[in-house]
Amino acid sequence: MAPSDDTGRHQLRLERLRRRVAIASGLSPGLLAAEVGWHLLRTGCQTLADARERAVPVRRASAEPWRHYLLGPSRGARPRPATMELERCLREAEAALDGRFPVLGYGTLAVGTEGRSWHHDPVHGFTWPLRHHRGIGSAPGQGDIKVPWEVSRLQWLVALARAHAYTSDSRYHKGATELLRSWAEANPPGWGPNWANAMEAGIRAANLVWAAEILDDPAFTALTGGMLRDHGRYIMAHLEYTPRLAMNHYLADIVGLVHAGGALRHSRVGRFWLRFGGWQLQREILKQFHQDGSNFEASLGYHRLSTELALMGLLALRRLGVPVRHEVMTRFESAVGALADLTGPHGLLPAVGDEDSGLVVGLQSGREARDTSPVIAAASAVHNARMPTELTGPELAQWCGAGPSRPRAAPRSAAFPAGGWYVLSAGPYWCLAECGGVGQRGNGGHGHNDTLSFVLCVDGREVVTDPGTGVYTPDPRLRNELRATRSHSTVEVDGAEQNRFDPEALRALQNEDRARVVACREDGSGRHFLDAVHEGYCRLDDPVLHRRRFDLSQYGLTVRDEISCHAAHTLVLSLPLGPGVVAEPGGDGVLLSVQGTAVRLSQTDGPPLSFCVEEMPRSAAYGQVTRGRVLRATLSVDGSTAWALRFRRLEAPNEGV
């Protein structure tokens, strides 16, 4: 290795050490003591668990009975999926019998169902070894560990159970049993990549319970009971929690404990898991969702995932008769309401922040992760202590026991100050502005450098978009490109990032932008104003302050940028374009057209901006990467400057400015 490479690695290690010291120095003495105490306790628990796992590396889960609770003793009403939903369910079930499984944005992959195939990533051609999970890594640049993780969440097992419930075809019942035994033999507790973290075990536990309840077969239930015992033990020994920061991983851990504990509540350990999980679930809902309903991760995708986790956990508690505090139910309802308001008029959640396309329980096949309607419809089931006699809505909502759901409301303006998300809506225009921090209380694990960026829909079509996430560990370069400032509809200064990040620390951003909203109001005529600023570039030798003002009405959107500085700087303004948007720059602006909608982008103030059309990666779902278009303008300044851009829909294709 060249000396320069050694120096670079040494500097990165020092940077990580400085970051840890900076985090520790920012903690109060009490919190720091709690962190140290928790670390020692967790290390002890993990050491004991590791010794047990290594002592018996390969063993078959013993049968253990348990009692149903999700669908109730009377089994309630049986879901009646729409024709398309039924077809998707049967397709997923048939594919599973053939060793093919849906995996995030990668599509349906031929993985196989024997031995090491459960540890294989066919996209990148990498297979993880059958080692104790302490020796398992994510293999950056070689494979995507989320592929075997996704397959091993066992959502396809619930699809097989549903297919059997709908058709009474014994092939699905037999296939579910054989595939589950194959998975259990290839993945002894604590061994292999699928035991690398407790979140995967937690989501897997929830799917085991649902599959067993839907199949309603004593032999299958006994098999899953033994596996749930192993899953509960593993989760308790490897909880992804610290007093400083607990995230969606910990939420998934405790949802798994609730499901496993509910199934094994006839045992002392099962009752403990249920009590502990129920208490922690309610506590985390209040911690991870702000009072306005927004999630603390600075990611719309993880807001949806965390809401779905809360839904499945609260539903299990309600079915078990465990009391849920009023303030927890109120916070959950706020989270669901935020999910509805943040969904664009095209029915999808914008890809702001990370989106890993993960789902929780496989109760609806072919579900698009950014389609929030199934989760919103299912949320009403949390209020039902028992399965109703009549079920409606998407298949997920029916299995959860949801009654009649309200039709989707028209888009409206909404503000979520705690999360930094602001929705402006009037006439054919819908705009989501991102004016918050990096999320996770400054950790930035799922946030992007997208401060003051926006998504614009006109006539229900995305004109300006967020490029998405791409992947995490299999392609660090792509990961860093898509979370960088230049990839978002905001302003980059001197090639710097709004919040610096270590290119090897793929789930962290430094918390430097200190974004804040100066004003947000509506003038009574349907015209909305939003004024926000961030200080991410105030660390430069010549500090730069970026202020952006949004002015939206039924006649269009105006975005005004103000750059305050004293010296020379190079500014880059990027506007990633939505799928299918064609851009035609001209002397009077840029014509943006998509599916019959034409929008004129024109400059109304400031030094002339010359836009060019470039290509950049775009990711509609995790693992799905295509090429998209972006408008970019570069401007050199010697001091403060400002400009304004206006987006206006053209009523006729040949209409001028």
Side-chain angles (χ1 to χ4, degrees), residues 574-593:
S574 299
L575 296 173
L577 302 179
V581 175
V582 176
E584 301 177 31
D588 54 357
V590 183
L591 179 64
L592 307 174
S593 56

Side-chain angles (χ1 to χ4, degrees), residues 456-485:
L456 173 64
C457 292
V458 181
D459 290 337
R461 300 174 179 88
E462 275 194 356
V463 176
V464 178
T465 190
D466 187 293
T469 300
V471 293
Y472 293 155
T473 59
D475 190 342
R477 183 202 59 77
L478 176 64
R479 162 64 170 163
N480 290 325
E481 180 181 357
L482 284 177
R483 64 176 177 153
T485 305

Side-chain angles (χ1 to χ4, degrees), residues 278-290:
W279 166 52
Q280 286 292 296
L281 174 63
Q282 298 187 56
R283 181 171 177 262
E284 287 303 311
I285 289 174
L286 294 176
K287 285 176 59 179
Q288 296 192 28
F289 292 96
H290 303 299

Side-chain angles (χ1 to χ4, degrees), residues 513-587:
D513 58 22
R514 294 184 292 277
R516 64 186 183 275
V517 170
V518 177
C520 180
R521 67 183 189 277
E522 192 266 333
D523 69 356
S525 68
R527 188 175 180 182
H528 302 272
F529 300 91
L530 176 65
D531 189 351
V533 64
H534 83 83
E535 302 176 14
Y537 297 119
C538 287
R539 69 178 188 273
L540 300 180
D541 291 339
D542 175 55
V544 177
L545 189 72
H546 179 201
R547 185 169 187 168
R548 175 167 277 184
R549 298 175 178 177
F550 298 86
D551 178 352
L552 183 142
S553 71
Q554 61 179 327
Y555 303 109
L557 168 68
T558 298
V559 179
R560 179 178 176 82
D561 288 307
E562 297 179 1
I563 305 296
S564 300
C565 58
H566 296 92
H569 295 280
T570 299
L571 314 177
V572 176
L573 170 64
S574 299
L575 296 173
L577 302 179
V581 175
V582 176
E584 301 177 31

Side-chain angles (χ1 to χ4, degrees), residues 295-324:
N295 188 269
F296 87 127
E297 300 252 16
S299 157
L300 295 191
Y302 279 88
H303 176 92
R304 190 273 312 156
L305 177 63
S306 295
T307 304
E308 192 170 334
L309 284 166
L311 162 67
M312 303 313 298
L314 291 176
L315 181 65
L317 292 181
R318 294 286 289 170
R319 294 286 187 266
L320 288 161
V322 177
V324 177

Side-chain angles (χ1 to χ4, degrees), residues 600-653:
R600 175 69 67 184
L601 167 60
S602 57
Q603 184 172 355
T604 60
D605 190 21
L609 298 176
S610 179
F611 284 100
C612 61
V613 182
E614 300 177 5
E615 283 197 349
M616 66 172 292
R618 182 171 59 214
S619 177
Y622 182 95
Q624 182 186 110
V625 182
T626 59
R627 301 299 295 178
R629 298 182 182 91
V630 57
L631 287 175
R632 282 210 173 96
T634 301
L635 183 66
S636 297
V637 300
D638 291 318
S640 297
T641 189
W643 62 81
L645 299 176
R646 181 166 177 77
F647 297 84
R648 186 168 69 89
R649 185 186 65 169
L650 303 184
E651 300 298 335

